[in-house]
Amino acid sequence: GTALTHGADKGESISQLEQIPVTQTTWAEWKSRFPNTLVLDRNTGYKRPYEDPSPYFMHFTSGKDWFPVDVIQETQEGQNDRAMIYGILLNNKAKAFPMAELSEKKVVNDTLNGVNLVLITDKESGSIRVYLRDQYLFSTYKKFEIKDQEGHSWHVAENELQKEGTDEHLRRIPGQRAFLTTWFTWYPES
């Protein structure tokens, strides 16, 4: 994203922030992978319902559109502002993947702006990770292990896919969950 920063003698300047991959997952999955993790206090000083399953709990369950926008495209006809997608922005091109489709397929090989990608969804925790895939096609995913078209196993790590028995790895790239209408407001060409 773009951030505004204030310089002591230069006034406002605009600088591009590097987007980094993040993981939205369950606490159980995260803690099993990173047992030394510490949690910040939920008491933030702001009135926010963090005790609910999600800060947007009421938004998802109320049945009304809280942030209506007029950007729904033909493929999203009839969707409301609670429909979720997983979005990727790569080399100034954006693409949105319906969360329900990712959850059902678990592994999606795709291409965005000429770059081969693989999206891996852990159905149990709901986490989604996106990696470069070069010439590989991936299929079977079982808890932090994925197989390529030749049957080789790859370890699914936070920052990369690591091919078993080799030094080969494929880098993870950023992606994010978003409300469908919000994503298409930012990236209408998706």
Side-chain angles (χ1 to χ4, degrees):
T2 302
L4 294 177
T5 57
H6 297 284
D9 18 280
K10 296 181 183 177
E12 280 191 23
S13 64
I14 297 178
S15 61
Q16 189 70 27
L17 297 176
E18 179 187 353
Q19 191 178 19
I20 60 171
V22 296
T23 302
Q24 184 174 341
T25 187
T26 62
W27 176 243
E29 179 189 304
W30 189 264
K31 193 71 172 163
S32 74
R33 293 188 81 182
F34 306 100
N36 296 326
T37 299
L38 300 176
V39 177
L40 297 176
D41 192 342
R42 285 180 161 194
N43 184 8
T44 64
Y46 292 94
K47 287 190 175 203
R48 192 75 167 144
Y50 288 107
E51 64 279 350
D52 289 331
S54 160
Y56 288 99
F57 179 75
M58 291 303 296
H59 177 63
F60 286 118
T61 60
S62 72
K64 71 174 192 166
D65 290 342
W66 287 22
F67 312 107
V69 294
D70 298 327
V71 197
I72 304 296
Q73 301 189 355
E74 285 180 30
T75 56
Q76 286 78 36
E77 191 94 11
Q79 298 278 358
N80 59 42
D81 71 354
R82 289 173 304 282
M84 297 296 295
I85 59 92
Y86 193 82
I88 301 171
L89 180 63
L90 185 63
N91 302 330
N92 295 317
K93 295 287 183 188
K95 190 162 189 175
F97 297 85
M99 295 290 289
E101 179 184 319
L102 294 177
S103 204
E104 180 184 314
K105 292 184 178 178
K106 288 198 217 176
V107 177
V108 173
N109 294 285
D110 203 65
T111 302
L112 176 58
N113 202 20
V115 178
N116 291 332
L117 308 172
V118 60
L119 291 86
I120 303 169
T121 303
D122 185 284
K123 200 168 187 175
E124 190 177 305
S125 68
S127 62
I128 300 169
R129 294 169 178 88
V130 184
Y131 302 88
L132 301 176
R133 67 175 170 86
D134 292 344
Q135 76 280 8
Y136 295 102
L137 289 172
F138 291 96
S139 57
T140 310
Y141 170 76
K142 286 187 183 175
K143 211 65 173 164
F144 309 117
E145 185 182 296
I146 191 165
K147 301 260 187 199
D148 65 25
Q149 74 269 25
E150 295 175 2
H152 297 114
S153 292
W154 294 71
H155 175 68
V156 178
E158 287 304 316
N159 295 324
E160 62 188 12
L161 293 177
Q162 302 159 343
K163 189 174 184 180
E164 239 177 60
T166 73
D167 290 335
E168 191 171 359
H169 62 274
L170 300 170
R171 184 174 56 89
R172 185 171 172 196
I173 64 164
Q176 67 185 62
R177 293 170 189 258
F179 294 111
L180 177 135
T181 51
T182 305
W183 183 264
F184 281 101
T185 299
W186 299 330
Y187 308 108
E189 75 288 352
S190 292

